Amino acid sequence: MAVAFFYLFSAVLIASAFAVIVSRNPVHSVLYLILAFVNGAGLFLLAGAEFLAMILVVVYVGAVAVLFLFVVMMLDVDFAELRQGFSKHLPVGAAVGAVVLGELGLVALGWQSAPGAKEAAAAPIVAGVSNTAALGQVLYTKYFLFFQASALVLLTAMIGAIVLTLHHRPGVKRQKIEEQNARTRDNVIEIKKVPSRAGV
Amino acid sequence: MSFSTALAHHFLPETILALGVLALILIGAWRGTRAFGLVNELAAGLLGLAILALFFGQTSEASLFEGAFVDDAFARFVKVLTLVGSLVTVLMSRDYLQRAKLGNFEFPVLVVLSTIGMLLLVSADNLIALYLGIELMSLALYVAAAFDRDDARASEAGLKYFVLGALSSGMLLYGASLLYGFSGTISFDGIAKAITGAPPLGVIFGLVFVLAGLAFKMSAAPFHMWTPDVYEGAPTPVTAFFASAPKMAAVAITTRIVFTAFPGIVGQWQQIVIFLAIASMLLGSFAAIGQTSIKRLMAYSSIGHMGFALVGLAAGNEAGVRGVAIYLAIYLVMTLGAFAAILQMRVEGRPVEKISDLSGLSRNNGTAAFFLAMLMFSLAGVPPLAGFFAKYYVLLAAVDAGLYPLAIIGVLASAISAFYYLRVVKVIYFDEPAPAFDQSPLSLRAVLAVSTVFLLGFWLYPAPVVEAATAAAKSLF
């Protein structure tokens, strides 16, 4: 049963990944990307990594892909123009890609791990501790440095986004509730005496 | 030694910078646009403090965080260089940024964040620490490249650097995943232990991809394509930063990974490093000849210099690593000095960056002309300036290791590159004077003078640098 699901998820994942790059409409590409993420999450579930699977769905499908969708729809990018010169670069790109693919095939066919690699890589799962709890136990202890360094990376990304996009424009009119509440009839209405027959 | 004392002794510079940068952000957010001057000074203070912590800190070796972070003489040597590069950048950038109306407190903050990444990178002892260090360093650099966001060239530089940087990170990660798949461990030591006998194809593939990703970060040919455009487009203080501190960290981690993770397959990575070295040296020499912009010239010059640094690495022994360490130190001083001179190129308040703008500088400002000429002689490797000794040590190591063709190509490339360095000297001394430069701030003149004095005096008293580099190289073996 699990094997059948593995092939199902894998096949859909590869097909949707392919569809991401060949779709003409960028919105379709993003939707296929979401499909690819969901299938990736399925593969994680099969491998027994339920926490990663949920994170993938929550973060990548829930946040990142939706954000992509917004960006793609909001930005007026002329994709036909971006594709110009595609055919010109295609032969070189295809040749390089074919060579790399061939080499990767050789690597995959002749793959061998060091003796004991599998045992070393298999994370020791303490009996009675769930996957998520096991992650929590190492994340703040053994991998403390990585956790803090990732936090700094995210901080940098945040500062970068603000630096590159925040514009302080003078003269922007904003609603200020306290000023509105503080208005009284006396300080906003001015009574003018207009002489008759003089026009305004 | 308990964990917390180990942390206090061996992780002090990183702690100072990480806590300090958070304080800087708070100060900046609190004071808003007026904070630039203050945050800039405080950032310089933090970097200075970190250098002091390294000088007066531990001299023992230690491995922290379950083998993710190693503190040894090599790491400390390169960290001092990196911090000096960042500190001088912060000091030199203030005047330029304020005049260009780019005086935002985020710039020093980004420099410090990037520096933390470099320090982690220099001390990285496993694949995840390596990747996180690279990302922290690079992410801040991408933003810094596009810091002048209203300028089309700077935005293009930032975007180009970002896209190609992301590609190189992808290659690095792919290589790392192959290495992990082979050895089942992320630690460099573990990978070294897992490789016994002839390496299988997967390991070689992983090695190639990791080295390609790292070569991109140090802009060694053929992974240099972004360098001239980014150096030219980014604001000049940012270019000075790019050419100095990140290169130290990138060369250092390359050196560390090949010697700690792949000591058993020297022959495999030696070929790659030799190729990178030859391609970088030749490209740096030939492509720089036709340049008219001094920033582009420096970009090609830095590619060439990275090639020379890799010559030392290609030697594959302790003497080679010592050569690399000395090369990095002298390259750092030369680059910072050269950019201090470039930042002084300002006519009637506007920065200029053509080589022809330097024309006749000797008659307008004799002192600056002399300093810049000495820098150019040193970059070209003319004895007895320090640049000559930098090349001497790496080429000597290559000859001792029997790499005669590499050493010969190095000498030829050095001779060719002398042409364009000496052309700058000719323009300064023998051409008709161009409009004189404005009076430049004290910080720039000081950096120029100090770096030139270092380069002129190195042959009289090379012991401090050479001894530190020797100790650094020893700690890797």
Side-chain angles (χ1 to χ4, degrees):
Chain A
M1 194 61 191
V3 175
F5 270 109
F6 172 77
Y7 282 110
L8 175 72
F9 286 141
S10 309
V12 179
L13 177 60
I14 292 172
S16 52
F18 190 70
V20 171
I21 53 170
V22 296
S23 303
R24 289 206 160 265
N25 187 335
V27 177
H28 292 173
S29 288
V30 179
L31 292 176
Y32 280 119
L33 190 65
I34 294 176
L35 187 61
F37 283 146
V38 172
N39 281 287
L43 286 178
F44 272 132
L45 266 186
L46 288 182
E50 73 275 356
F51 182 71
L52 283 181
M54 291 309 127
I55 288 290
L56 195 66
V57 172
V58 171
V59 176
Y60 279 87
V61 179
V64 175
V66 172
L67 205 67
F68 268 16
L69 210 53
F70 270 113
V71 170
V72 167
M73 288 200 271
M74 305 265 279
L75 289 181
D76 185 22
V77 181
D78 188 352
F79 286 89
E81 194 184 334
L82 284 182
R83 287 219 179 84
Q84 270 182 0
F86 179 74
S87 54
K88 197 175 77 186
H89 300 298
L90 186 65
V92 180
V96 173
V99 169
V100 174
L101 191 69
E103 288 173 348
L104 283 176
L106 281 179
V107 171
L109 288 178
W111 181 262
Q112 57 188 85
S113 294
K118 208 165 176 195
E119 293 72 35
I125 293 179
V126 187
V129 177
S130 76
N131 196 331
T132 314
L135 268 180
Q137 280 176 358
V138 290
L139 192 57
Y140 305 107
T141 52
K142 193 176 173 188
Y143 297 134
F144 173 76
L145 178 68
F146 303 154
F147 185 73
Q148 296 291 340
S150 316
L152 282 176
V153 171
L154 292 179
L155 179 68
T156 311
M158 210 155 73
I159 295 173
I162 293 173
V163 168
L164 294 181
T165 56
L166 181 66
H167 285 267
H168 288 290
R169 289 195 191 83
V172 179
K173 292 193 167 41
R174 290 198 174 84
Q175 185 181 26
K176 288 183 183 157
I177 307 268
E178 67 277 12
E179 275 181 20
Q180 290 177 334
N181 287 338
R183 278 162 76 98
T184 60
R185 185 188 158 95
D186 296 337
N187 60 22
V188 290
I189 290 182
E190 196 181 342
I191 297 171
K192 293 265 186 187
K193 190 117 183 129
V194 181
S196 60
R197 291 173 182 267
V200 182
Chain B
M1 190 161 45
S2 75
F3 180 66
S4 56
T5 50
L7 207 61
H9 285 142
H10 296 285
F11 201 61
L12 194 57
E14 289 81 1
T15 316
I16 291 173
L17 291 185
L19 293 180
V21 79
L22 297 181
L24 291 187
I25 295 170
L26 278 183
I27 294 170
W30 191 260
R31 290 179 53 118
T33 47
R34 294 167 299 139
F36 176 65
L38 178 67
V39 172
N40 205 60
E41 279 159 21
L42 288 176
L46 278 179
L47 294 163
L49 208 59
I51 296 175
L52 289 181
L54 280 169
F55 264 114
F56 297 106
Q58 281 290 313
T59 48
S60 60
E61 242 178 78
S63 177
L64 299 177
F65 302 109
E66 308 263 340
F69 181 95
V70 60
D71 183 44
D72 55 11
F74 182 72
R76 281 191 290 270
F77 182 82
V78 182
K79 277 180 189 176
V80 169
L81 297 184
T82 309
L83 286 165
V84 168
S86 305
L87 174 63
V88 173
T89 308
V90 168
L91 291 177
M92 291 198 303
S93 64
R94 180 171 179 169
D95 175 69
Y96 182 98
L97 292 176
Q98 274 175 336
R99 284 188 194 221
K101 300 214 167 17
L102 291 172
N104 299 330
F105 78 91
E106 286 93 346
F107 181 75
V109 167
L110 285 171
V111 171
V112 176
L113 279 169
S114 181
T115 309
I116 300 172
M118 293 170 206
L119 299 193
L120 293 178
L121 186 58
V122 169
S123 278
D125 209 15
N126 70 26
L127 292 171
I128 298 183
L130 161 79
Y131 177 67
L132 282 174
I134 281 203
E135 282 308 295
L136 184 53
M137 168 180 105
S138 310
L139 198 58
L141 294 182
Y142 304 146
V143 181
F147 202 73
D148 190 1
R149 61 185 184 187
D150 297 325
D151 181 51
R153 283 193 316 163
S155 309
E156 184 195 327
L159 193 65
K160 207 172 246 175
Y161 192 22
F162 174 66
V163 172
L164 289 174
L167 181 73
S168 81
S169 290
M171 293 202 289
L172 183 93
L173 276 180
Y174 188 67
S177 73
L178 284 176
L179 291 175
Y180 175 70
F182 171 77
S183 59
T185 170
I186 52 171
S187 94
F188 291 168
D189 268 349
I191 295 172
K193 285 197 188 89
I195 302 171
T196 47
L201 202 53
V203 170
I204 297 175
F205 224 73
L207 170 68
V208 169
F209 271 71
V210 168
L211 285 185
L214 291 172
F216 177 91
K217 298 296 173 197
M218 66 171 104
S219 72
F223 304 100
H224 65 280
M225 273 75 156
W226 56 278
T227 318
D229 292 347
V230 172
Y231 277 34
E232 194 187 12
T236 314
V238 178
T239 313
F241 187 44
F242 281 4
S244 54
K247 305 247 179 188
M248 306 291 123
V251 174
I253 188 60
T254 312
T255 310
R256 184 184 292 285
I257 196 171
V258 296
F259 284 111
T260 52
F262 307 106
I265 48 169
V266 175
Q268 300 291 343
W269 58 257
Q270 204 175 26
Q271 298 170 11
I272 305 171
V273 173
I274 289 175
F275 174 74
L276 290 174
I278 291 178
S280 306
M281 288 188 298
L282 291 182
L283 187 112
S285 322
F286 284 108
I289 290 175
Q291 302 304 325
T292 55
S293 154
I294 188 102
K295 277 162 83 178
R296 278 187 96 85
L297 182 87
M298 285 307 293
Y300 284 108
S301 156
S302 86
I303 295 171
H305 281 289
M306 285 304 108
F308 280 102
L310 288 174
V311 169
L313 187 56
N317 53 29
E318 199 178 315
V321 176
R322 184 182 72 149
V324 172
I326 296 172
Y327 203 96
L328 287 181
I330 293 173
Y331 167 78
L332 178 77
V333 177
M334 293 192 295
T335 306
L336 291 174
F339 274 98
I342 293 171
L343 280 164
Q344 293 187 20
M345 293 169 60
R346 189 178 275 283
V347 178
E348 290 170 5
R350 299 179 64 81
V352 292
E353 49 195 49
K354 289 238 175 307
I355 295 174
S356 56
D357 292 318
L358 285 167
S359 158
L361 181 65
S362 62
R363 267 163 280 178
N364 292 329
N365 186 345
T367 334
F370 172 73
F371 285 157
L372 187 53
M374 286 303 122
L375 277 167
M376 288 297 149
F377 278 126
S378 182
L379 282 164
V382 174
L385 289 149
F388 165 75
F389 290 98
K391 288 184 173 135
Y392 169 76
Y393 282 111
V394 288
L395 291 174
L396 189 69
V399 169
D400 283 347
L403 300 170
Y404 299 109
L406 181 64
I408 291 168
I409 293 175
V411 172
L412 290 179
S414 177
I416 297 164
S417 68
F419 167 74
Y420 58 80
Y421 293 124
L422 296 186
R423 195 185 55 167
V424 175
V425 177
K426 173 234 159 202
V427 167
I428 293 174
Y429 274 93
F430 301 112
D431 283 6
E432 286 304 307
F437 295 147
D438 301 351
Q439 177 71 10
S440 49
L442 181 67
S443 57
L444 293 180
R445 281 180 285 152
V447 171
L448 185 59
V450 169
S451 57
T452 314
V453 168
F454 173 90
L455 298 175
L456 283 171
F458 181 80
W459 63 281
L460 291 172
Y461 190 49
V465 176
V466 175
E467 275 168 18
T470 310
K474 206 168 183 168
S475 73
L476 266 193
F477 290 87

